[in-house]
Amino acid sequence: MKDYKQAVDSCIDCKKCWDVCPVTKVKGKEYTPQGKIQLLSKVES
Amino acid sequence: MEFDNIYLSTRCGACDDVCPVNIPIKDIIQYERHLLAEQDKEPEKTKGIVNNILVHNNPGGKDNSKRFDWITDDLKLSDDSEIVYMAGCWISYAQPEIARSTIRVLNSAGIEPRILNDDKCCRIFLVDNGHFDEMKTHAKNFVDYIESLGIKKLIVSYPGCYKTLNGSYPQLYRELSFEVVPSIELFDLLIKESKLQTNDLNLSVALKDSCHLKNNIDTPRNILNNMGVKVIEIFDRDVVCCGAPAGLKPNFPETSSNIAGLSLRKSNDVSDLMVAYCPFCIYHMNSANNYNLQIKDISQLLEDSIQKNK
């Protein structure tokens, strides 16, 4: 098991990843890299 | 579906590049996919492609006996060279012209590579989807096989093969005893060493860069400039993903095509020819191309340049 919880929690909500993600560019802010990593706790549970 | 967002990613790494606190976003997505695979929650199409790779050694489930059908009589190949050419699955089955141009260019420089008789998919799709255990076994078997042939240099056309062999295999198994070289890097070197004689093509082209070689975007520009091809920047030297990799195209085709449209639209605005150096980008761009835009691999232009005036 890898422990990425601390890394996910270190997100400062700057939204820079939103601006460069090609998926976010075409699908909007429901599908951001930030949103993807924040699903980790749900996947692990 | 609940976890669609995790599969709505090409793992291009653009997010990693801008994160101010260095969160390994691409790795976390890979890990989430690993856990979902263990929980049998992968999308059906991802499962199917993984199965194709494990059973048939290529993502499309194609007949392995046809992997080398791209080889034509005019190509000079060796049986025992220390330099090997690995065309990759997409080229072998769908884009044979890229492999042929690559070999003809290498032949022009006096290089006659061998091929791997037991060639296999690099399995980047398994890496992208967190199938670590299957990858560890494959990396060991494939590396041991290549090394048993005494190979010193392995040339690849697909940047994804480069990234997987050069980056993932050493992490999953051990350092390689052979060098993995993207074909464009070798082309650039051969031009600089005057082993390739190019002629001006007098073209202006839109250049689509490759995510897997984003740290080396000057190389394709050097090659194109050398053969009298003016590069028109479509993203001001930023690298924008084509939208195909890591399962996005099969699982979410409309989103994948819309992402391709970002590059196609910009290219069509400035030229009638897009040049790329990732065969998977080219395959995907062609499938989403609603313009009269021609799309070529850099090896094809280089072959044209060498053959011109002959």
Side-chain angles (χ1 to χ4, degrees):
Chain A
M1 290 285 282
K2 295 192 179 181
D3 187 6
Y4 284 122
K5 185 178 181 305
Q6 199 176 350
V8 174
D9 289 345
S10 70
C11 175
I12 57 171
D13 195 25
C14 67
K15 298 182 174 56
K16 286 188 177 178
C17 62
W18 297 24
D19 296 334
V20 296
C21 175
V23 171
T24 311
K25 280 182 207 279
V26 302
K27 280 191 76 73
K29 62 183 181 184
E30 276 182 70
Y31 299 95
T32 65
Q34 183 185 5
K36 293 179 200 332
I37 63 170
Q38 286 174 342
L39 283 168
L40 179 63
S41 57
K42 210 168 182 179
V43 176
E44 286 180 322
S45 65
Chain B
M1 283 183 41
E2 188 180 17
F3 295 118
D4 271 2
N5 196 13
I6 291 170
Y7 292 92
L8 272 156
S9 167
T10 61
R11 294 189 71 246
C12 68
C15 47
D16 284 0
D17 295 342
V18 298
C19 180
V21 290
N22 297 318
I23 298 173
I25 299 171
K26 189 159 59 86
D27 290 349
I28 295 173
I29 293 169
Q30 180 191 40
Y31 180 58
E32 289 173 328
R33 290 181 177 190
H34 167 72
L35 295 176
L36 290 169
E38 283 189 334
Q39 297 165 21
D40 197 25
K41 290 180 181 169
E42 282 187 315
E44 285 305 313
K45 289 196 173 165
T46 296
K47 273 188 205 172
I49 295 168
V50 167
N51 186 62
N52 279 342
I53 292 169
L54 295 175
V55 174
H56 301 286
N57 263 317
N58 65 79
K62 305 283 186 188
D63 181 350
N64 243 331
S65 70
K66 298 186 183 303
R67 180 176 276 275
F68 300 115
D69 281 4
W70 59 267
I71 299 174
T72 48
D73 289 343
D74 64 307
L75 305 178
K76 294 177 194 160
L77 296 167
S78 159
D79 290 328
D80 55 5
S81 173
E82 292 181 341
I83 301 174
V84 69
Y85 174 63
M86 183 174 162
C89 298
W90 287 102
I91 289 183
S92 297
Y93 294 107
Q95 300 156 299
E97 65 281 1
I98 297 176
R100 290 174 192 143
S101 288
T102 300
I103 298 296
R104 289 184 192 121
V105 169
L106 295 178
N107 287 170
S108 296
I111 297 173
E112 296 180 11
R114 66 189 288 172
I115 54 161
L116 294 170
N117 291 329
D118 195 15
D119 199 0
K120 295 186 188 311
C121 177
C122 68
R123 305 196 175 189
I124 186 172
F125 191 82
L126 268 60
V127 175
D128 280 332
N129 285 282
H131 284 257
F132 302 124
D133 291 342
E134 296 97 324
M135 272 308 293
K136 278 180 188 165
T137 306
H138 171 73
K140 178 185 184 314
N141 291 342
F142 200 32
V143 168
D144 287 352
Y145 164 64
I146 296 170
E147 291 180 351
S148 75
L149 301 173
I151 301 301
K152 300 284 185 236
K153 191 187 294 267
L154 187 146
I155 305 162
V156 292
S157 283
Y158 176 37
C161 291
Y162 168 72
K163 191 80 175 177
T164 307
L165 274 102
N166 201 52
S168 299
Y169 284 19
Q171 285 177 5
L172 293 161
Y173 181 35
R174 61 165 166 74
E175 289 300 317
L176 315 180
S177 72
F178 54 90
E179 183 187 9
V180 185
V181 184
S183 56
I184 59 162
E185 281 188 18
L186 184 55
F187 295 157
D188 189 38
L189 180 67
L190 293 170
I191 290 169
K192 284 175 177 155
E193 291 177 344
S194 302
K195 290 178 179 167
L196 285 175
Q197 308 303 322
T198 58
N199 297 287
D200 282 357
L201 292 177
N202 299 316
L203 293 170
S204 292
V205 304
L207 180 61
K208 168 74 186 74
D209 283 302
S210 162
C211 300
H212 296 302
L213 294 175
K214 64 183 161 193
N215 294 326
N216 201 5
I217 65 167
D218 285 333
T219 298
R221 286 159 178 78
N222 292 343
I223 298 169
L224 291 166
N225 288 337
N226 181 273
M227 52 179 157
V229 176
K230 183 186 172 201
V231 173
I232 306 172
E233 301 293 345
I234 54 173
F235 294 114
D236 198 20
R237 289 174 62 92
D238 278 346
V239 180
V240 175
C241 184
C242 72
L248 191 68
K249 184 176 174 67
N251 285 309
F252 304 97
E254 187 181 344
T255 302
S256 177
S257 292
N258 288 343
I259 293 171
L262 301 172
S263 297
L264 289 165
R265 194 163 42 250
K266 291 256 189 186
S267 298
N268 188 62
D269 286 346
V270 297
S271 178
D272 53 10
L273 177 59
M274 174 197 271
V275 174
Y277 45 99
C278 172
F280 196 35
C281 280
I282 295 172
Y283 175 83
H284 178 51
M285 290 288 168
N286 273 318
S287 74
N289 186 2
N290 294 321
Y291 303 96
N292 284 324
L293 187 66
Q294 202 181 2
I295 306 169
K296 282 192 167 186
D297 186 79
I298 205 166
S299 63
Q300 296 172 283
L301 257 65
L302 188 52
E303 185 194 359
D304 290 347
S305 166
I306 292 166
Q307 292 299 326
K308 194 177 173 186
N309 301 330
K310 273 195 177 173

